[in-house]
Amino acid sequence: MIDDTDRAIIEQLQTDGRMPYSQLGQVVGLSDAAARQRVNRLTANGVIDIVAVTDPKRVGMAFSAMLGVTVSGDARKVAAEIGALDHAVYVIMTTGRYDVLAEVVSASSEVFVDVVDAVRAIEGVGRVEVMTYLDVTKQTYDWGVAEGPGR
């Protein structure tokens, strides 16, 4: 579990993932070393990842889409196999119309078609609906963790 200090650290890092530990510690009321230890623990425990987020179009990925996948059988197995594909960057199991949603990015239409065909070929995949991205209107990573559960 995370505590209020962890939530404050996460909130700050969601705003600026490159914030120096000296500044982070000062904002959340910890020493530099304690802030570094907390960040390292949050990272080691898989609570956070600190990464550079790119705009796929600006780094040469001409094709971005969400694939809505219906599954007959084990959705976990299908999700894992889709997740193993190089160009699948986000894979979730869901309820409702689709069993699995997968975000796919590629630099060329040929690669994009190959990825969609690879998804269709996975045992248990029934239907794949391709929803091509026309534009990204909003992309955020501050999911209110600082608010805490039930707050």
Side-chain angles (χ1 to χ4, degrees):
M1 282 313 275
I2 62 173
D3 62 17
D4 288 342
T5 302
D6 291 333
R7 285 186 184 86
I9 288 169
I10 293 167
E11 179 181 27
Q12 292 303 311
L13 292 176
Q14 285 176 326
T15 302
D16 180 2
R18 299 182 331 158
M19 180 180 287
Y21 291 119
S22 57
Q23 184 180 351
L24 178 61
Q26 188 175 48
V27 171
V28 301
L30 296 173
S31 68
D32 303 4
R36 182 180 311 105
Q37 288 173 343
R38 290 273 188 139
V39 170
N40 288 342
R41 181 179 48 78
L42 291 167
T43 304
N45 291 336
V47 176
I48 63 171
D49 284 317
I50 300 172
V51 298
V53 178
T54 60
D55 177 337
K57 286 182 181 178
R58 293 179 189 245
V59 295
M61 297 295 168
F63 294 85
S64 299
M66 184 66 68
L67 307 183
V69 182
T70 57
V71 175
S72 61
D74 188 350
R76 287 182 188 95
K77 183 177 179 280
V78 170
E81 288 190 43
I82 294 171
L85 298 173
D86 287 339
H87 297 277
V89 297
Y90 183 71
V91 180
I92 59 172
M93 289 180 18
T94 183
T95 61
R97 181 175 180 173
Y98 306 107
D99 300 301
V100 176
L101 292 174
E103 184 173 15
V104 174
V105 296
S106 70
S108 71
S109 61
E110 293 83 9
V111 170
F112 185 76
V113 170
D114 289 345
V115 173
V116 174
D117 285 346
V119 170
R120 288 186 173 126
I122 294 171
E123 184 178 338
V125 168
R127 181 168 175 253
V128 178
E129 183 174 335
V130 178
M131 296 163 272
T132 305
Y133 294 178
L134 300 177
D135 192 23
V136 176
T137 303
K138 181 178 181 179
Q139 184 172 345
T140 183
Y141 297 96
D142 58 345
W143 300 326
V145 174
E147 304 280 327
R151 293 182 188 191

